[in-house]
Amino acid sequence: SNVGMSRIAYAAFKDAPDKYISYLKKFHLDKKTGIDLIGEEPPLLPRVKRNNEGLHAMVTASFGYAIEVSPLQTLMLYNAIANNGKMMKPYLVNRIQSNGLLAQQFEPEILEEQLAPEQVIKAAKESMRMVATEGTAKKIFINAPYTVAGKTGTAHVAAKGVSYNDRVYQASFVGYFPYEKPMYTCVVVIK
């Protein structure tokens, strides 16, 4: 709920809206993931000051407006939640072989050992599970043979020649499964 998120953000950051941005930075949403792919775009965050203009930017960013992160960045954050708060750098290749011999090995890289306090991660996991059992993703996963936790989203798109008046929307789901012992994270975006 945009209204619910804006109320929570306002209550938490009304006296220091710039502190909200510090959390986005801790969550690594202010820079590229560094994945081994060419062409990754940098995220766009609002400029947030300690005044009413900054307060407005922070509140709208809290529900996804005035902020632009890639699906991969979102996935990296949800993966950290599934991983009990440990944020890992995404990568696609774990080794390169030449003529059957190991030429190069890549190891997992920890970006944040503990993204948030344990009770915050636990609450996020439980909330994400409820999205799949009681919330907006209930119908999708009602007969799934595995348990899922995640979050649906709808974005009103305004970028690169598209204005809000064009009424372009983007639907998404990001989550992980199985809920009890996560093995996979996934993000789906439909324009």
Side-chain angles (χ1 to χ4, degrees):
S1 164
N2 292 354
V3 173
M5 286 306 299
S6 63
R7 286 184 176 178
I8 292 168
Y10 181 80
F13 301 106
K14 67 180 178 230
D15 297 325
D18 55 326
K19 188 175 179 185
Y20 175 78
I21 297 298
S22 71
Y23 280 102
L24 296 180
K25 290 178 179 179
K26 179 176 176 46
F27 299 159
H28 293 258
L29 296 176
D30 64 325
K31 54 188 161 272
K32 296 178 184 181
T33 65
I35 193 166
D36 42 356
L37 287 174
I38 296 172
E40 182 181 13
E41 294 286 326
L44 300 172
L45 301 182
R47 294 180 183 258
V48 175
K49 303 172 188 167
R50 286 182 176 256
N51 60 23
N52 285 340
E53 178 186 330
L55 184 60
H56 179 266
M58 179 275 299
V59 168
T60 56
S62 74
F63 56 84
Y65 285 35
I67 184 171
E68 212 175 288
V69 295
S70 72
L72 184 60
Q73 288 167 307
T74 303
L75 186 63
M76 185 174 73
L77 178 60
Y78 278 70
N79 189 64
I81 294 166
N83 202 20
N84 294 318
K86 185 183 288 188
M87 181 177 269
M88 307 298 293
K89 178 182 173 183
Y91 67 103
L92 297 175
V93 177
N94 61 3
R95 76 180 80 146
I96 297 172
Q97 293 181 334
S98 177
N99 296 322
L101 299 174
L102 183 64
Q104 195 170 1
Q105 180 82 29
F106 301 95
E107 297 297 328
E109 183 181 330
I110 298 171
L111 297 176
E112 293 288 334
E113 191 67 47
Q114 190 61 45
L115 195 62
E118 193 174 308
Q119 68 271 21
V120 172
I121 299 294
K122 183 179 180 202
K125 291 172 95 171
E126 290 170 359
S127 297
M128 290 163 47
R129 177 65 182 140
M130 289 177 67
V131 168
T133 59
E134 301 172 32
T136 51
K138 177 182 177 180
K139 289 181 182 179
I140 297 168
F141 297 110
I142 199 160
N143 293 319
Y146 44 84
T147 54
V148 177
K151 179 69 180 86
T152 60
T154 305
H156 193 177
V157 178
K160 297 179 184 172
V162 177
S163 75
Y164 288 128
N165 292 332
D166 294 325
R167 295 183 178 173
V168 174
Y169 293 90
Q170 176 177 289
S172 63
F173 177 81
V174 61
Y176 61 89
F177 62 96
Y179 171 70
E180 298 80 5
K181 191 174 179 182
M183 293 179 61
Y184 305 98
T185 52
C186 178
V187 63
V188 178
V189 179
I190 302 170
K191 282 188 177 185

